[in-house]
Amino acid sequence: MALNRDFVGRTYPASTSYEVCRVKIREFAAAIGDHNPIYRDPEAARAAGHPDVVAPPTFPIVFSLSGAGEALADPELGLDFAMVVHGEQRFAYTRPIHAGDQLLCTSTITEIRSVGRNELLTITSEVSTVEGEPVCTTYNVIIERGGAA
Amino acid sequence: MTATVKYDEVEVGQEIPAVDYPVHRVNLVMYAGASGDFNPIHWNERHAKAVGLPDVIAHGMFTMAEAGRFVTDWAGDPGAVLDYGVRFSSMVVVPDNDEGAVITVSGVVEGKLDDNRVVIALTARSGDSRVLSRAKATVRLA
């Protein structure tokens, strides 16, 4: 089913902040098999010039879609979850994320377009600290297979 | 932030040697837990086959993370990654056996920018398939 274009431009702020902690970073690093001490050891991170352990570049996937999840589940959008695959992903950093960060994430549906038989929906999320310091922008393209047929 | 690779010692066209990253079912279970993505196509063979997949497949984000690890291991500091984007072009099928699957990642320095930044073009393959396309990372070197 074609997606409802009225959703383009809608913005979804996260309802709560996300607190980045050492334990979660270590768990994520273990899950991707990465033993880099900068993810695990605060001393190693400080020696590399960071205030605390750093999160891997793809870590924001853990929290960056919570706001948009509400939009994707909205029946008015017309998204068939069974047909969804992840199309593209990008992270653009102002600075690395580290343990101790309190992050806010605001997601906007920035584009919906048809490519062949598929519908492509782009979610752009601005991640900043609760103090308002910009941290990163994430771009997530999901594909609804057959949605435009 | 201290990347260990020096900007002045890197040339456009320079190749970064390939690294193999093995993937077993347990890695996908761990990734599901760590990322919060519990879609059963990534851990339940019965479900994966019922929706027409050949077998359980890796999370696209798991593959992206492995290619990211290739970049951060090369650069020496994860904080050196300024921008990282991929397109998911094919799936990584992970059978339930001792071999599992292997994601092979290689890279080439595609461009040098100002401010000690370089663009790395990445190639990720599993079996006969190229599993990422347009995979690029911008990294700030020392």
Side-chain angles (χ1 to χ4, degrees):
Chain A
M1 187 166 92
L3 299 179
N4 183 351
R5 265 58 178 173
D6 290 347
F7 276 70
V8 176
R10 290 194 191 177
T11 291
Y12 301 85
S15 51
T16 54
S17 64
Y18 181 86
E19 184 176 344
V20 181
C21 69
R22 291 175 181 168
V23 173
K24 187 66 188 180
I25 290 175
R26 192 187 311 133
E27 180 194 15
F28 192 87
I32 65 173
D34 196 323
H35 301 287
N36 194 326
I38 295 173
Y39 296 144
R40 294 155 190 267
D41 176 359
E43 287 306 316
R46 279 192 274 271
H50 303 288
D52 205 322
V53 292
V54 169
T58 62
F59 183 83
I61 201 69
V62 171
F63 61 83
S64 61
L65 289 175
S66 56
E70 172 198 337
L72 300 185
D74 188 336
E76 292 287 311
L77 176 63
L79 183 69
D80 179 359
F81 263 105
M83 301 305 285
V84 167
V85 294
H86 199 171
E88 299 172 34
Q89 183 70 42
R90 182 180 159 213
F91 303 93
Y93 281 93
T94 306
R95 67 147 170 89
I97 291 172
H98 56 76
D101 276 335
Q102 294 263 9
L103 301 177
L104 291 170
C105 179
T106 298
S107 298
T108 303
I109 296 177
T110 44
E111 186 180 52
I112 299 176
R113 63 191 172 102
S114 304
V115 176
R117 292 164 49 83
N118 299 329
E119 292 276 82
L120 271 62
L121 180 147
T122 304
I123 300 162
T124 303
S125 300
E126 298 293 345
V127 179
S128 64
T129 65
V130 292
E131 291 84 15
E133 179 193 5
V135 174
C136 74
T137 305
T138 77
Y139 304 86
N140 181 300
V141 179
I142 65 168
I143 300 173
E144 184 190 37
R145 290 179 293 145
Chain B
M1 279 131 269
T2 45
T4 51
V5 178
K6 292 193 170 56
Y7 179 80
D8 291 341
E9 294 172 2
V10 169
E11 290 174 13
V12 172
Q14 181 178 329
E15 293 187 4
I16 306 170
V19 177
D20 283 345
Y21 298 97
V23 193
H24 295 97
R25 290 283 178 87
V26 65
N27 303 112
L28 304 186
V29 172
M30 289 172 73
Y31 190 79
S35 69
D37 181 348
F38 291 99
N39 187 329
I41 60 173
H42 303 307
W43 52 270
N44 183 324
E45 187 170 324
R46 177 169 48 83
H47 179 88
K49 288 181 173 168
V51 298
L53 296 169
D55 205 330
V56 161
I57 62 169
H59 304 74
M61 288 306 302
F62 179 86
T63 302
M64 185 179 187
E66 296 311 299
R69 192 177 148 194
F70 177 83
V71 174
T72 55
D73 279 348
W74 176 73
D77 180 357
V81 176
L82 304 174
D83 197 303
Y84 177 35
V86 305
R87 179 177 284 188
F88 302 102
S89 50
S90 189
M91 52 200 174
V92 175
V93 179
V94 183
D96 183 21
N97 58 29
D98 290 344
E99 290 76 35
V102 175
I103 300 168
T104 303
V105 184
S106 60
V108 61
V109 178
E110 190 181 78
K112 291 182 81 169
L113 310 174
D114 60 358
D115 213 10
N116 281 19
R117 293 173 303 147
V118 297
V119 179
I120 309 298
L122 297 160
T123 302
R125 298 186 156 276
S126 186
D128 298 330
S129 300
R130 197 172 159 152
V131 293
L132 299 177
S133 64
R134 297 192 188 184
K136 286 185 200 301
T138 305
V139 183
R140 178 170 287 130
L141 300 181

